[in-house]
């Protein structure tokens, strides 16, 4: 699949490398594409190239970057977290539509799947912690888009956990804020993951 990742930072590059490794073709949308001459494009060219778009930008850049792009009907993963800080404590910076995922859907008309936002970027490459796979919480209103992204998670060796409609991004974005508090602020470490365990 041709995948255009908007943002070549921690998440963009970790996810892009993992997706390339399992055979997908990845290009990065960037404000300075010359920083990655081999695979960097403008944001518009990355969207034009892509069958699947991933938003891996700081929340504060989302509106400015996405508003001019042609994303109506596009398959899109939103990995952003609307992060703010209050006296050293991470807090949700209230997004316009209840969650960044819903805001991006309203802004672009894309088929948004919220995901890859509730664990540290380094886990994009899969693996296990204490024998458990890493859960990718996925929220979407689009069943077909959810299926495509769930299949990608399987390919990456991650465990897709559908959590319901896109409005549940409100919950997973809060979960990410909690992750930042526990993993970073309280120093429990970036390997920390939220793992769903069900009784059989
Ligand atoms: N880091 C994590 O472990 C993690 C995990 C889950 C979710 N997230 C979320 O994923 C998103 C990306 O996080 P990250 O850690 O990958 O961020 P990052 O390393 O800071 O990378 C952000 C990327 O966005 C670009 N960018 C920043 N401001 C921009 C602007 N105003 N206009 C255009 N491009 C801009 C940067 O480009 P330049 O190189 O040009 O500055 C960079 O490529 C965030 O919303 C974050 O909350 C992060």
């Amino acid at each position: 699949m041709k995948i255009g990742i908007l943002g070549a930072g921690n998440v963009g590059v970790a996810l892009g490398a993992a997706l390339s490794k399992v055979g997908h073709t990845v290009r990065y949308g960037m404000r300075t594409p010359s920083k990655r001459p081999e695979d960097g494009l403008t944001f518009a060219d990355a969207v034009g190239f892509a069958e699947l778009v991933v938003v891996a930008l700081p929340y504060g850049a989302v509106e400015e970057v996405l508003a001019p792009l042609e994303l109506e009907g596009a398959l899109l993963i939103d990995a952003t977290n609307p992060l703010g800080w209050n006296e050293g404590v991470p807090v949700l910076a209230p997004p316009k539509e209840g969650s960044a995922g819903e805001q991006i859907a309203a802004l672009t008309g894309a088929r948004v799947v919220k995901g890859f936002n509730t664990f540290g970027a380094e886990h994009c490459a899969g693996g296990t912690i204490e024998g458990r796979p890493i859960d990718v919480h996925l929220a979407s209103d689009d069943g077909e888009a959810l299926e495509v992204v769930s299949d990608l998670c399987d390919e990456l060796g991650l465990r897709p956990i559908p959590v319901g409609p896109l409005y549940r991004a409100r919950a997973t974005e809060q979960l990410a804020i909690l992750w930042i508090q526990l993993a970073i602020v309280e120093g429990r470490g970036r390997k920390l993951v939220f793992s769903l365990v069900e009784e059989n």
Side-chain angles (χ1 to χ4, degrees), residues 122-142:
E122 44 279 80
H123 285 315
C124 289
T128 56
I129 294 188
E130 294 189 358
R132 289 190 194 144
I134 287 150
D135 290 352
V136 189
H137 308 97
L138 299 174
S140 184
D141 294 333
D142 188 311

Side-chain angles (χ1 to χ4, degrees), residues 29-169:
M30 304 172 68
R31 54 184 164 183
T32 320
S34 57
K35 278 191 188 171
R36 294 185 67 101
E38 68 290 1
D39 53 12
L41 299 173
T42 63
F43 290 115
D45 285 349
V47 167
F49 159 84
E51 294 161 306
L52 165 69
V53 173
V54 180
V55 182
L57 296 162
Y59 173 69
V62 160
E63 193 152 332
E64 175 197 337
V65 172
L66 299 191
L69 299 175
E70 284 294 328
L71 284 163
E72 182 75 42
L75 184 55
L76 184 151
I77 297 174
D78 166 33
T80 68
N81 284 314
L83 171 65
W85 291 92
N86 185 359
E87 297 181 2
V89 175
V91 291
L92 198 77
K96 280 188 185 161
E97 304 280 341
S99 66
E102 291 162 278
Q103 185 181 339
I104 288 173
L107 177 69
T108 62
R111 300 153 67 202
V112 175
V113 179
K114 183 83 202 185
F116 292 89
N117 63 311
T118 55
F119 52 79
E122 44 279 80
H123 285 315
C124 289
T128 56
I129 294 188
E130 294 189 358
R132 289 190 194 144
I134 287 150
D135 290 352
V136 189
H137 308 97
L138 299 174
S140 184
D141 294 333
D142 188 311
E144 210 178 275
L146 183 66
E147 208 173 305
V148 173
V149 178
S150 296
D151 288 349
L152 277 182
C153 292
D154 288 336
E155 287 179 43
L156 293 172
L158 299 162
R159 183 169 69 152
I161 304 282
V163 296
L166 187 58
Y167 75 80
R168 294 261 168 80

